[in-house]
């Protein structure tokens, strides 16, 4: 029986399985960047069309 890894142990991160991304950090950065872009565009469009 294999013991469960301890929570404080940092195991090798499994690949996200998303084409073009080798790590989860890249996926998180893309999502965060996309969110920032949408918020900025919403602000710009609000100023233009109001």
């Amino acid at each position: 029986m294999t013991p469960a890894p301890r929570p404080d142990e940092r195991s090798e991160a499994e690949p996200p399985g998303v084409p073009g991304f080798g790590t989860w950090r890249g996926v998180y950065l893309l999502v965060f960047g996309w969110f920032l872009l949408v918020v900025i565009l919403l602000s710009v469009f609000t100023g233009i069309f109001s």
Side-chain angles (χ1 to χ4, degrees):
M1 189 170 195
T2 306
R6 294 191 328 227
D8 59 74
E9 282 184 12
R10 186 162 188 188
S11 63
E12 288 298 316
E14 64 181 58
V18 180
F21 294 97
T23 63
W24 280 106
R25 173 178 242 168
V27 175
Y28 294 145
L29 287 175
L30 174 73
V31 171
F32 184 69
W34 185 254
F35 174 75
L36 283 178
L37 177 66
V38 169
V39 169
I40 290 169
L41 288 176
L42 285 173
S43 299
V44 169
F45 290 148
T46 300
I48 291 173
F49 294 112
S50 65

